[in-house]
Short mmCIF file of all heavy atoms in Angstrom, two decimals:
data_model
loop_
_atom_site.label_atom_id
_atom_site.label_comp_id
_atom_site.label_asym_id
_atom_site.label_seq_id
_atom_site.Cartn_x
_atom_site.Cartn_y
_atom_site.Cartn_z
N LEU A 19 70.57 125.85 99.76
CA LEU A 19 71.86 125.18 99.99
C LEU A 19 72.94 126.21 99.72
O LEU A 19 72.86 127.11 98.86
CB LEU A 19 72.00 123.99 99.03
CG LEU A 19 71.02 122.84 99.31
CD1 LEU A 19 71.22 121.82 98.20
CD2 LEU A 19 71.26 122.26 100.65
N PRO A 20 74.09 126.09 100.48
CA PRO A 20 75.19 127.03 100.22
C PRO A 20 75.70 126.90 98.83
O PRO A 20 75.73 125.88 98.22
CB PRO A 20 76.23 126.51 101.26
CG PRO A 20 75.54 125.79 102.31
CD PRO A 20 74.34 125.16 101.53
N THR A 21 76.12 128.06 98.33
CA THR A 21 76.70 128.18 96.97
C THR A 21 78.19 127.71 97.01
O THR A 21 78.68 127.58 98.09
CB THR A 21 76.55 129.55 96.37
OG1 THR A 21 77.27 130.44 97.29
CG2 THR A 21 75.09 130.00 96.32
N ARG A 22 78.79 127.66 95.84
CA ARG A 22 80.23 127.33 95.83
C ARG A 22 81.07 128.41 96.49
O ARG A 22 82.06 128.14 97.14
CB ARG A 22 80.70 127.11 94.39
CG ARG A 22 82.16 126.71 94.32
CD ARG A 22 82.73 126.58 92.90
NE ARG A 22 84.11 126.32 92.99
CZ ARG A 22 84.95 126.39 91.91
NH1 ARG A 22 84.42 126.66 90.74
NH2 ARG A 22 86.25 126.07 92.08
N ALA A 23 80.56 129.68 96.30
CA ALA A 23 81.29 130.78 96.97
C ALA A 23 81.31 130.63 98.50
O ALA A 23 82.35 130.83 99.14
CB ALA A 23 80.56 132.13 96.59
N ALA A 24 80.19 130.18 99.08
CA ALA A 24 80.16 129.89 100.48
C ALA A 24 81.11 128.83 100.90
O ALA A 24 81.84 128.90 101.90
CB ALA A 24 78.66 129.60 100.98
N LEU A 25 81.10 127.76 100.11
CA LEU A 25 81.99 126.60 100.43
C LEU A 25 83.45 127.09 100.34
O LEU A 25 84.23 126.68 101.18
CB LEU A 25 81.72 125.42 99.47
CG LEU A 25 80.32 124.78 99.58
CD1 LEU A 25 80.16 123.80 98.56
CD2 LEU A 25 80.17 124.16 101.01
N GLU A 26 83.78 127.81 99.32
CA GLU A 26 85.22 128.24 99.11
C GLU A 26 85.61 129.18 100.30
O GLU A 26 86.77 129.14 100.80
CB GLU A 26 85.38 128.89 97.79
CG GLU A 26 85.26 127.86 96.64
CD GLU A 26 86.29 126.75 96.70
OE1 GLU A 26 87.38 126.97 97.17
OE2 GLU A 26 86.00 125.59 96.24
N ALA A 27 84.68 130.05 100.65
CA ALA A 27 85.05 130.99 101.70
C ALA A 27 85.18 130.25 103.04
O ALA A 27 86.03 130.56 103.88
CB ALA A 27 83.90 132.04 101.83
N ASN A 28 84.29 129.26 103.32
CA ASN A 28 84.48 128.47 104.44
C ASN A 28 85.69 127.66 104.51
O ASN A 28 86.36 127.40 105.56
CB ASN A 28 83.24 127.48 104.59
CG ASN A 28 81.97 128.27 105.02
OD1 ASN A 28 82.05 129.29 105.72
ND2 ASN A 28 80.79 127.75 104.70
N ARG A 29 86.09 127.17 103.30
CA ARG A 29 87.37 126.42 103.17
C ARG A 29 88.53 127.31 103.61
O ARG A 29 89.42 126.90 104.31
CB ARG A 29 87.55 125.93 101.73
CG ARG A 29 88.64 124.92 101.65
CD ARG A 29 88.89 124.56 100.17
NE ARG A 29 87.68 123.98 99.50
CZ ARG A 29 87.40 122.69 99.57
NH1 ARG A 29 88.21 121.86 100.14
NH2 ARG A 29 86.29 122.23 98.91
N ALA A 30 88.46 128.52 103.10
CA ALA A 30 89.55 129.49 103.44
C ALA A 30 89.59 129.82 104.91
O ALA A 30 90.61 129.96 105.53
CB ALA A 30 89.41 130.75 102.61
N THR A 31 88.35 129.93 105.47
CA THR A 31 88.29 130.17 106.94
C THR A 31 88.79 129.04 107.77
O THR A 31 89.54 129.22 108.71
CB THR A 31 86.79 130.45 107.33
OG1 THR A 31 86.26 131.45 106.61
CG2 THR A 31 86.64 130.66 108.79
N ALA A 32 88.60 127.84 107.20
CA ALA A 32 88.98 126.56 107.99
C ALA A 32 90.52 126.55 108.03
O ALA A 32 91.13 126.23 109.07
CB ALA A 32 88.43 125.34 107.29
N LYS A 33 91.19 126.97 106.93
CA LYS A 33 92.67 127.05 106.91
C LYS A 33 93.18 128.01 107.96
O LYS A 33 94.18 127.64 108.66
CB LYS A 33 93.16 127.37 105.58
CG LYS A 33 92.84 126.29 104.46
CD LYS A 33 93.36 126.69 103.14
CE LYS A 33 93.09 125.61 102.06
NZ LYS A 33 93.57 126.06 100.64
N LEU A 34 92.52 129.13 108.08
CA LEU A 34 93.00 130.15 109.03
C LEU A 34 92.75 129.56 110.50
O LEU A 34 93.66 129.70 111.39
CB LEU A 34 92.19 131.43 108.93
CG LEU A 34 92.41 132.25 107.67
CD1 LEU A 34 91.53 133.48 107.68
CD2 LEU A 34 93.87 132.71 107.64
N LEU A 35 91.60 128.96 110.72
CA LEU A 35 91.39 128.34 112.01
C LEU A 35 92.32 127.25 112.39
O LEU A 35 92.83 127.23 113.51
CB LEU A 35 89.96 127.82 112.07
CG LEU A 35 88.83 128.85 111.78
CD1 LEU A 35 87.42 128.18 111.67
CD2 LEU A 35 88.77 129.83 112.95
N ILE A 36 92.62 126.38 111.50
CA ILE A 36 93.47 125.26 111.73
C ILE A 36 94.93 125.75 111.99
O ILE A 36 95.67 125.24 112.82
CB ILE A 36 93.46 124.18 110.63
CG1 ILE A 36 92.05 123.52 110.61
CG2 ILE A 36 94.50 123.20 110.81
CD1 ILE A 36 91.79 122.72 109.38
N GLN A 37 95.29 126.79 111.26
CA GLN A 37 96.63 127.40 111.54
C GLN A 37 96.72 127.93 112.93
O GLN A 37 97.75 127.80 113.65
CB GLN A 37 96.85 128.52 110.56
CG GLN A 37 98.23 129.18 110.65
CD GLN A 37 98.41 130.31 109.68
OE1 GLN A 37 97.56 130.47 108.76
NE2 GLN A 37 99.51 131.01 109.81
N GLN A 38 95.63 128.51 113.45
CA GLN A 38 95.62 128.99 114.83
C GLN A 38 95.64 127.80 115.86
O GLN A 38 96.20 127.90 116.88
CB GLN A 38 94.47 129.87 115.07
CG GLN A 38 94.50 131.23 114.46
CD GLN A 38 95.71 132.05 114.97
OE1 GLN A 38 96.01 132.14 116.18
NE2 GLN A 38 96.48 132.69 114.07
N LEU A 39 94.94 126.73 115.55
CA LEU A 39 94.93 125.60 116.37
C LEU A 39 96.33 124.98 116.54
O LEU A 39 96.72 124.47 117.55
CB LEU A 39 94.02 124.47 115.78
CG LEU A 39 92.47 124.64 116.02
CD1 LEU A 39 91.80 123.48 115.31
CD2 LEU A 39 92.14 124.62 117.45
N ALA A 40 97.08 125.14 115.43
CA ALA A 40 98.46 124.62 115.40
C ALA A 40 99.47 125.56 116.15
O ALA A 40 100.32 125.11 116.97
CB ALA A 40 98.92 124.35 114.02
N ASP A 41 99.35 126.84 115.88
CA ASP A 41 100.41 127.76 116.35
C ASP A 41 99.93 128.89 117.23
O ASP A 41 100.78 129.68 117.76
CB ASP A 41 101.04 128.44 115.09
CG ASP A 41 101.55 127.44 114.05
OD1 ASP A 41 102.07 126.38 114.48
OD2 ASP A 41 101.41 127.62 112.89
N GLY A 42 98.67 129.06 117.41
CA GLY A 42 98.12 130.16 118.21
C GLY A 42 98.30 130.02 119.75
O GLY A 42 98.67 128.93 120.22
N SER A 43 97.92 131.07 120.44
CA SER A 43 97.90 131.04 121.88
C SER A 43 96.65 130.14 122.32
O SER A 43 95.84 129.80 121.51
CB SER A 43 97.73 132.43 122.44
OG SER A 43 96.56 133.06 122.09
N LEU A 44 96.56 129.92 123.58
CA LEU A 44 95.40 129.14 124.07
C LEU A 44 94.12 129.86 123.83
O LEU A 44 93.17 129.28 123.39
CB LEU A 44 95.55 128.87 125.60
CG LEU A 44 94.42 128.10 126.17
CD1 LEU A 44 94.24 126.75 125.57
CD2 LEU A 44 94.64 127.92 127.74
N GLY A 45 94.13 131.21 123.96
CA GLY A 45 92.94 131.94 123.65
C GLY A 45 92.54 131.84 122.18
O GLY A 45 91.43 131.68 121.89
N ALA A 46 93.56 131.94 121.27
CA ALA A 46 93.27 131.79 119.90
C ALA A 46 92.78 130.43 119.53
O ALA A 46 91.86 130.23 118.73
CB ALA A 46 94.49 132.17 119.10
N LYS A 47 93.38 129.44 120.11
CA LYS A 47 92.99 128.01 119.93
C LYS A 47 91.47 127.80 120.42
O LYS A 47 90.73 127.09 119.74
CB LYS A 47 93.86 127.10 120.69
CG LYS A 47 95.29 126.91 119.99
CD LYS A 47 96.15 125.99 120.81
CE LYS A 47 97.56 125.95 120.23
NZ LYS A 47 98.44 125.03 121.06
#
């Protein structure tokens, strides 16, 4: 099972991804 480190890193990744979904170009989205 993923460790807390994996979950926290994925959480940080999700924030970057959602920021691009909101403000990025179509390619970035």
Side-chain angles (χ1 to χ4, degrees):
L19 295 176
T21 60
R22 185 186 174 188
L25 294 175
E26 292 299 326
N28 285 335
R29 190 188 300 273
T31 302
K33 292 180 180 179
L34 290 177
L35 297 173
I36 293 170
Q37 182 179 351
Q38 287 299 315
L39 282 178
D41 306 322
S43 64
L44 178 58
K47 291 178 180 180

